[in-house]
Amino acid sequence: MTMNKANFFVPFFVFLFIGSIFSRVASAGDQNALAASFVFGDSLVDAGNNNYLQTLSRANSPPNGIDFKPSRGNPTGRFTNGRTIADIVGEKLGQPSYAVPYLAPNASGEALLNGVNYASGGGGILNATGSVFVNRLGMDIQVDYFTITRKQFDKLLGKDKARDYIRKRSLFSIVIGSNDFLNNYLVPFVAAQARLTQTPEIFVDDMISHLRNQLKRLYELDARKFVVGNVAPIGCIPYQKSINQLNDKQCVDLANKLALQYNARLKDLLMVELKDSLKDAHFVYANVYDLFMDLIVNFKDYGFRTASEACCETRGRLAGILPCGPTSSLCTDRSKHVFWDAYHPSEAANLLIADKLLYGDSKFVTPFNLLHLRDL
């Protein structure tokens, strides 16, 4: 599903320009406004990097982006109908413009000062994750790219100002880990042999070991304000329900148990180990698992019609398996679906999740929310 470059880049640059104008006006009077957002992760927060890769994991075709107002409903490479959680968080914290995708041709000069998005659909903490998609940017590569960006900041602002800008006025968001299970450890047939020799405990330990090194690398490059999301209840997404032939209220136990096992280790890494060893850094643990489970279980209370059916899906034998694309069927009211497609939440769900992360209490965000983190 390759899109003509001209059809993509015109709305892409238009939304950057318009978004920058309106956001700067809105945040002009806020002295605490976030200056830059640096986003690392997978398709949950990819803003278009995979458009520039030869990959099977892409969202650069309609109806993806149908509700993304800055592009007038044209796809930008976001794996949802509108804004990602990272987009919404940046807006609410006063970020002047959306973080530009690192691989985009305009990711240079002053455009970098609003932040950069390195996230990539199919990417994971482990380098082997997502190989089924051929190409993707894993977390190690994303951090490599930030190393390049960091040097560009020195040239743009000078070393002293760049260091302060990164340390005090920038937010580092990491939303990654789901693919390490969905597109690595749990891949049917492909990973079956590996699971015979690698227990869940060993696999999770490998994930934590890699993430520890990746976060420390970012710290050494002056990152100080981190928000790290845990893994959502991946056993409850439409894709898992479909391939396991479950009913609406059922979830895949193994997938959710793996997520919870990783999440417990992640919380210890952030709230105990790194908090003690990197004393001038601030780590926020985003409890995405409980946030999404709350939406899935209590979807009617939040105004949704369904938390099991995707809004954009393929009908028939492959229902709930293929991603959203031009041949997919579209629901009549996108605001009533928790899930946009078989894998990703809708903008309506993203708005609710972002709101809890921004202003919520310790049930969902620890030790404090993102508004507090920004103002430190």
Side-chain angles (χ1 to χ4, degrees):
M1 298 183 292
T2 303
M3 193 176 198
N4 181 281
K5 253 188 173 183
N7 290 340
F8 171 73
F9 285 127
V10 171
F12 181 80
F13 289 128
V14 166
F15 93 71
L16 277 178
F17 177 70
I18 294 175
S20 177
I21 291 175
F22 283 102
S23 295
R24 286 183 187 278
V25 170
S27 63
D30 187 357
Q31 297 302 313
N32 292 326
L34 183 71
S37 174
F38 297 97
V39 182
F40 303 81
D42 52 33
S43 56
L44 292 172
V45 288
D46 186 348
N49 281 308
N50 278 24
N51 292 330
Y52 306 96
L53 298 175
Q54 293 299 316
T55 178
L56 298 176
S57 178
R58 280 190 174 185
N60 64 334
S61 59
N64 291 297
I66 191 171
D67 296 309
F68 193 71
K69 293 179 181 178
S71 68
R72 299 179 182 178
N74 288 296
T76 62
R78 288 165 170 81
F79 290 75
T80 185
N81 58 306
R83 292 164 292 173
T84 68
I85 293 175
D87 292 330
I88 298 163
V89 166
E91 285 181 10
K92 298 292 186 180
L93 293 181
Q95 182 184 352
S97 184
Y98 296 122
V100 62
Y102 178 83
L103 296 180
N106 63 320
S108 62
E110 291 190 3
L112 302 179
L113 297 179
N114 297 314
V116 181
N117 186 309
Y118 306 89
S120 171
I125 295 170
L126 303 177
N127 292 322
T129 294
S131 59
V132 293
F133 299 117
V134 184
N135 281 324
R136 72 285 177 209
L137 306 178
M139 187 64 180
D140 277 338
I141 295 175
Q142 294 181 36
V143 177
D144 288 343
Y145 285 160
F146 177 70
T147 302
I148 297 171
T149 301
R150 184 64 189 82
K151 293 176 181 177
Q152 292 173 310
F153 264 76
D154 282 346
K155 292 181 179 178
L156 283 167
L157 301 176
K159 288 189 176 182
D160 290 343
K161 288 184 178 180
R163 183 178 59 253
D164 286 346
Y165 197 90
I166 299 294
R167 289 188 176 190
K168 299 176 181 178
R169 303 187 60 204
S170 302
L171 177 68
F172 287 76
S173 301
I174 294 94
V175 182
I176 203 162
S178 296
N179 284 320
D180 293 285
F181 297 115
L182 292 174
N183 294 302
N184 188 335
Y185 196 74
L186 292 173
V187 173
F189 309 115
V190 177
Q193 186 62 37
R195 289 202 298 273
L196 293 176
T197 57
Q198 193 174 29
T199 65
E201 290 78 15
I202 293 174
F203 187 80
V204 167
D205 188 62
D206 197 19
M207 288 176 65
I208 293 296
S209 177
H210 277 75
L211 184 62
R212 177 189 295 110
N213 291 334
Q214 291 155 357
L215 293 175
K216 285 185 174 180
R217 287 179 63 196
L218 289 174
Y219 174 85
E220 289 168 359
L221 294 165
D222 289 319
R224 290 296 183 272
K225 297 182 180 182
F226 296 85
V227 53
V228 185
N230 66 12
V231 171
I234 51 178
C236 300
I237 65 174
Y239 165 72
Q240 284 287 308
K241 288 175 178 285
S242 180
I243 63 172
N244 289 282
Q245 299 181 329
L246 302 181
N247 64 38
D248 288 355
K249 294 184 179 181
Q250 290 179 304
C251 296
V252 179
D253 286 340
L254 175 59
N256 282 352
K257 285 179 180 178
L258 287 169
L260 288 171
Q261 193 169 344
Y262 166 78
N263 292 347
R265 291 290 308 279
L266 174 66
K267 189 172 185 179
D268 284 343
L269 173 67
L270 300 177
M271 299 293 96
V272 180
E273 181 183 335
L274 294 181
K275 179 183 177 182
D276 290 342
S277 61
L278 307 177
K279 295 187 182 298
D280 62 334
H282 302 283
F283 291 94
V284 167
Y285 174 75
N287 189 0
V288 178
Y289 187 99
D290 284 351
L291 279 168
F292 266 109
M293 190 60 83
D294 182 41
L295 276 184
I296 290 167
V297 173
N298 303 304
F299 64 92
K300 290 183 179 179
D301 294 341
Y302 291 99
F304 293 102
R305 184 184 66 78
T306 176
S308 59
E309 297 176 11
C311 173
C312 183
E313 64 178 359
T314 302
R315 302 292 184 184
R317 187 169 58 88
L318 296 177
I321 297 177
L322 294 180
C324 181
T327 61
S328 302
S329 298
L330 199 61
C331 66
T332 55
D333 190 345
R334 297 180 287 278
S335 68
K336 298 299 182 182
H337 286 249
V338 171
F339 288 96
W340 165 241
D341 64 9
Y343 308 86
H344 307 99
S346 63
E347 183 185 59
N350 284 338
L351 281 163
L352 289 170
I353 298 296
D355 190 69
K356 294 288 180 67
L357 296 177
L358 285 160
Y359 313 113
D361 57 29
S362 58
K363 179 181 179 181
F364 295 126
V365 58
T366 307
F368 35 69
N369 60 40
L370 299 190
L371 186 65
H372 184 94
L373 176 65
R374 181 201 66 177
D375 294 341
L376 289 175

